[in-house]
Amino acid sequence: MLNQNKIAVVIPYYNASKHIADVLHKLPEFIDVVYIVDDCGEEALPNSILETFEKSVHLKNEKNLGVGGATKTGFKQAIQDQFDIVVKVDADDQMDTSYIKALINPLIEDKAEYAKGNRFRDFKALKNMPTVRKIGNLGLSFLTKAATGYWNNFDPTNGFFAVKTSTLKQLDFNNIANRYYFETSLIAELYFQDVRIKDVPMPAIYGDEKSNMSVWKMPFVFLPKLFKTFVKRIVKSYFVYDFNMSSIYLLFGLPLFLFGFIYGLYTWWYYSSKAIFAPTGTIMLVTLTIIIGFQLLLQAVHYDITKAPKSN
């Protein structure tokens, strides 16, 4: 079945002249074509690469678009050339390409439409991951689960993945980010198509490459985007495309909880400033609205988790 599918690899290239040759030579033989998308970095793509690697196709963006923009350029070309599966591989040699077969097998066997690496299932490799990156990925993974709705998948920001081109055709690329939010926004769009995602355990490789984004900037970049993605998903899933029990939980639970919390803070400030005890009825009103609202929100979260698309 592997030979019955046309498989393309997309490599977004940006300042990776030291690693690109190693990445290409490590690719498995069954890959039909490799789209190297030059994203206008300071280090030009070596001409020797195109001359020695026959399967490579050179694409170049007119301006720097970021890893997402470069990858989408490769996606569009793979769709135009009628490939069945596209694998995204970075140019910095951080990804063990021997796992490509493990990524595409769930797609070929129709167990999923999208398969990605999961660096947190290999505990030996996890020890080699830089501590700051490990903590950041763990926290970011949880927030991304809530934002995208894929509660059963871990390490959602992993950029080593395979996807069916039939799935890509259903997506609006304008809704997918061009830069660091690319993987998360892609998964967020897949949710609305009820796409099944398969996690494939694999190690991460860390060499002498340097990230183009400072660690301290990541919360400021990701948190507002994750919140926007979360709100967009909830509104679309429970009030536009569907209306179910979780919608009712949210309609009543959120106002009750916010009312209890805000009114409780006001009550505490008001009566404490006057140095008198709050009436028992006021305390009961605040307590009951917070408890009931919180319980309804927990039910909504539970429904959302069970609703997440699951791979076979």
Side-chain angles (χ1 to χ4, degrees):
M1 294 181 66
L2 185 65
N3 295 327
Q4 295 175 3
N5 290 269
K6 294 176 62 178
I7 302 169
V9 167
V10 172
I11 301 179
Y13 175 83
Y14 183 81
N15 293 344
S17 59
K18 296 180 181 178
H19 304 284
I20 185 64
D22 291 333
V23 173
L24 291 173
H25 288 109
K26 291 177 182 178
L27 292 175
E29 290 293 329
F30 57 77
I31 299 299
D32 295 293
V33 70
V34 180
Y35 297 114
I36 306 175
V37 185
D38 191 339
D39 200 32
C40 303
E42 296 176 0
E43 300 178 9
L45 180 65
N47 291 328
S48 58
I49 297 298
L50 303 176
E51 296 172 358
T52 58
F53 198 79
E54 297 179 355
K55 295 181 180 179
S56 64
V57 175
H58 183 208
L59 305 175
K60 187 172 183 177
N61 291 331
E62 295 182 359
K63 61 179 181 179
N64 177 260
L65 296 177
V67 62
T71 304
K72 288 190 288 183
T73 298
F75 283 169
K76 293 173 183 178
Q77 190 64 48
I79 293 173
Q80 181 178 324
D81 294 342
Q82 298 183 343
F83 279 88
D84 300 303
I85 295 173
V86 182
V87 182
K88 185 256 185 181
V89 177
D90 286 341
D92 54 12
D93 203 21
Q94 278 194 15
M95 299 169 176
D96 188 345
T97 52
S98 65
Y99 282 87
I100 288 181
K101 187 175 181 180
L103 280 176
I104 64 177
N105 276 340
L107 278 56
I108 294 174
E109 296 169 0
D110 199 29
K111 295 181 179 179
E113 290 77 42
Y114 182 99
K116 63 173 188 61
N118 182 352
R119 297 163 290 186
F120 293 90
R121 292 290 296 275
D122 189 330
F123 294 105
K124 291 182 180 179
L126 192 59
K127 293 180 180 178
N128 297 324
M129 183 182 291
T131 303
V132 174
R133 187 177 294 193
K134 188 188 306 181
I135 295 172
N137 278 331
L138 285 170
L140 193 60
S141 291
F142 176 78
L143 294 176
T144 304
K145 284 184 176 189
T148 63
Y150 280 99
W151 292 95
N152 302 306
N153 298 103
F154 204 55
D155 195 15
T157 58
N158 196 315
F160 190 18
F161 62 82
V163 59
K164 292 182 178 180
T165 52
S166 58
T167 297
L168 292 176
K169 291 177 183 178
Q170 302 175 40
L171 305 180
D172 183 354
F173 285 177
N174 293 323
N175 293 332
I176 301 174
N178 282 340
R179 300 192 181 276
Y180 296 100
Y181 200 62
F182 166 66
E183 289 85 3
T184 303
S185 61
L186 173 59
I187 291 176
E189 286 300 307
L190 294 175
Y191 180 86
F192 296 117
Q193 303 298 331
D194 202 29
V195 171
R196 299 168 298 169
I197 297 180
K198 178 71 173 180
D199 278 358
V200 178
M202 62 180 62
I205 303 172
Y206 296 100
D208 59 357
E209 71 290 332
K210 294 182 180 180
S211 174
N212 292 309
M213 174 177 246
S214 300
V215 174
W216 67 269
K217 291 183 180 179
M218 293 183 67
F220 300 99
V221 173
F222 281 96
L223 290 180
K225 292 181 180 294
L226 285 171
F227 180 74
K228 182 179 179 181
T229 298
F230 174 75
V231 172
K232 177 182 176 182
R233 181 177 72 84
I234 294 300
V235 171
K236 281 189 174 182
S237 298
Y238 296 107
F239 299 102
V240 177
Y241 296 155
D242 194 12
F243 191 86
N244 47 50
M245 281 305 300
S246 187
S247 309
I248 296 175
Y249 294 148
L250 290 169
L251 278 176
F252 287 95
L254 187 60
L256 283 172
F257 181 80
L258 290 177
F259 169 80
F261 183 76
I262 296 172
Y263 184 62
L265 287 178
Y266 169 77
T267 300
W268 172 82
W269 170 81
Y270 178 79
Y271 287 102
S272 62
S273 64
K274 294 181 177 295
I276 59 176
F277 290 106
T280 303
T282 301
I283 296 174
M284 290 297 297
L285 176 64
V286 170
T287 304
L288 283 175
T289 52
I290 289 178
I291 291 176
I292 295 174
F294 186 68
Q295 287 294 329
L296 289 174
L297 290 176
L298 280 180
Q299 289 295 324
V301 171
H302 178 264
Y303 182 90
D304 192 51
I305 292 174
T306 59
K307 183 176 179 289
K310 301 176 182 64
S311 61
N312 296 334

